[in-house]
Amino acid sequence: MKALLTAASLALSLLGTSALAEQIVDTSKLNNELIATKDDKKYTIATVVKVDGIAWFDRMRDGVEQFKADTGHDVWMVGPSQADAAAQVQIIENLIAQGVDAIAVVPFSVEAVEPVLKKARDRGIVVISHEASNLENTDYDLEAFDNLAYGANLMKELGKYTGGKGKYVATVGSLTSKSQMEWVDGAVAYQKEHFPDMEMVGDRLETYDDAATDYTKLKEAMTTYPDITGILGAPMPTSAGAGRLIAEGGLKDKVFFAGTGLPSVAGEYLANGDIQYIQFWDPAVAGYAMNMLAIAALEGKGDQIKAELNLGLNGYESLITPNEDRPNLLYGAGWVGVTADNMDKYDF
């Protein structure tokens, strides 16, 4: 019996070591000085996302939970069950009432959260935002990259597959999602300069970060414009909605797709050739990075949060401040492009 208990203890120990060795966010080069706190003080930080329960934000939760495990701060992630601006505002109101130290937020609608985030900051709560480059009531907005360049690269890839010709449609999660709208702006600008024989038809389709809505609205667009040959997807779920539509409609090699996506969501459609290209950054790293900035701000280290700051995280090794009038707008660098040929390198 003693031998069995000893073996079991050893097995549990090895499992624990393995789990620690398989951390999702690589922190081997982390800027620990930035998040060091006086007297080892611990803070409460809530990360509020657009919608809970989709793969993108499931991955972000992994990063937030790793930050909690790594640092001991009381941090968690929360979001509405459906993409709903009013529901997200109510969550933030509840957090203000709870008296959290900081809120990291990925707004569904920038305009909708402005008043409640102002209220939070008036109460002394630090606000860190992501995918919200035009948000005013934030201490720091952290973007993974230059939004226009991200969108331009999506169009560069889409144009390869369409031969630089034909009609296309574009989706956004919300018409008030500044970052996604900028991605499409960048894509359209690139198309007009490099693919003059392509044309975006209809208005940008607002799909509320929901693959079923993507499918329905894209199907309606295909009925209105049956000669569409391209789909540009800003929100992650469009990759699945478009893939399903193309697969079910027998549109493979007739309609092409490039957009934000994750292998765990779009892998089946990539492998089958229904969609051609997805692009993303790691939301787990973004979640970790937002919480790092929250701690630094709470500790009064604003003088360190500036251009060239190295968080020690992949993609955030040398932050840039693209707008001298808004020094609190910070960009990382780099995104990942995935096709059927390299999708096996990514497990999320």
Side-chain angles (χ1 to χ4, degrees):
M1 182 67 177
K2 184 177 180 181
L4 286 173
L5 288 172
T6 301
S9 297
L10 177 60
L12 287 171
S13 175
L14 289 172
L15 281 171
T17 302
S18 174
L20 288 172
E22 295 175 0
Q23 288 188 316
I24 288 172
V25 178
D26 180 2
T27 57
S28 60
K29 299 179 181 178
L30 193 69
N31 185 342
N32 288 299
E33 189 278 330
L34 184 70
I35 57 173
T37 62
K38 300 181 184 73
D39 301 320
D40 198 31
K41 181 176 175 60
K42 301 303 180 186
Y43 292 101
T44 58
I45 307 171
T47 298
V48 184
V49 298
K50 297 178 186 179
V51 57
D52 203 356
I54 66 173
W56 187 269
F57 292 118
D58 288 345
R59 176 73 177 181
M60 182 170 281
R61 174 178 278 107
D62 291 339
V64 172
E65 291 182 349
Q66 182 180 329
F67 185 84
K68 178 178 182 177
D70 289 350
T71 66
H73 292 289
D74 183 13
V75 305
W76 67 96
M77 195 191 88
V78 63
S81 58
Q82 297 181 339
D84 181 280
Q88 190 179 46
V89 167
Q90 186 57 55
I91 288 172
I92 297 172
E93 287 279 11
N94 294 342
L95 292 170
I96 294 172
Q98 292 173 34
V100 297
D101 294 308
I103 295 171
V105 60
V106 187
F108 176 70
S109 166
V110 168
E111 288 80 359
V113 297
E114 287 281 17
V116 73
L117 292 179
K118 181 180 186 303
K119 180 178 178 180
R121 296 183 73 210
D122 287 345
R123 300 282 180 89
I125 297 172
V126 164
V127 174
I128 307 296
S129 54
H130 181 60
E131 291 190 51
S133 59
N134 64 327
L135 183 65
E136 294 182 5
N137 287 290
T138 183
D139 288 87
Y140 297 97
D141 180 75
L142 179 65
E143 301 294 318
F145 38 69
D146 178 277
N147 288 326
L148 295 177
Y150 180 87
N153 198 66
L154 287 177
M155 179 53 67
K156 179 181 177 181
E157 295 296 329
L158 183 61
K160 287 181 186 177
Y161 296 106
T162 65
K165 299 179 180 179
K167 297 176 180 177
Y168 68 95
V169 290
T171 64
V172 293
S174 166
L175 293 172
T176 59
S177 174
K178 177 68 172 179
S179 293
Q180 291 188 17
M181 291 292 280
E182 286 184 344
W183 300 346
V184 178
D185 288 344
V188 172
Y190 188 93
Q191 172 258 305
K192 289 180 177 179
E193 180 178 355
H194 297 276
F195 303 127
D197 293 331
M198 291 180 69
E199 175 192 5
M200 189 176 87
V201 293
D203 297 325
R204 300 174 191 197
L205 304 178
E206 189 175 29
T207 61
Y208 304 99
D209 292 278
D210 178 74
T213 304
D214 279 294
Y215 174 87
T216 300
K217 290 203 171 184
L218 287 170
K219 191 172 184 178
E220 291 171 354
M222 295 292 293
T223 300
T224 304
Y225 305 99
D227 52 349
I228 286 173
T229 60
I231 298 171
L232 184 98
M236 181 276 293
T238 302
S239 59
R244 175 187 164 200
L245 178 66
I246 291 167
E248 291 182 0
L251 300 171
K252 179 179 175 180
D253 298 326
K254 297 176 183 177
V255 177
F256 303 92
F257 174 86
T260 305
L262 291 176
S264 61
V265 173
E268 170 191 354
Y269 301 114
L270 277 173
N272 294 338
D274 299 311
I275 66 175
Q276 290 67 42
Y277 179 83
I278 59 173
Q279 191 167 279
F280 58 90
W281 67 105
D282 190 341
V285 181
Y288 202 105
M290 282 193 290
N291 279 268
M292 286 186 70
L293 289 183
I295 296 297
L298 286 164
E299 283 290 302
K301 298 179 181 179
D303 60 325
Q304 296 183 42
I305 306 175
K306 58 184 179 181
E308 300 184 6
L309 172 63
N310 180 5
L311 298 183
L313 298 174
N314 291 334
Y316 302 89
E317 294 94 342
S318 182
L319 300 184
I320 62 173
T321 51
N323 185 344
E324 63 180 19
D325 295 328
R326 289 198 61 201
N328 66 333
L329 174 60
L330 306 164
Y331 283 3
W335 54 76
V336 176
V338 172
T339 66
D341 294 333
N342 67 342
M343 60 180 283
D344 61 343
K345 294 180 180 179
Y346 305 94
D347 62 356
F348 63 91

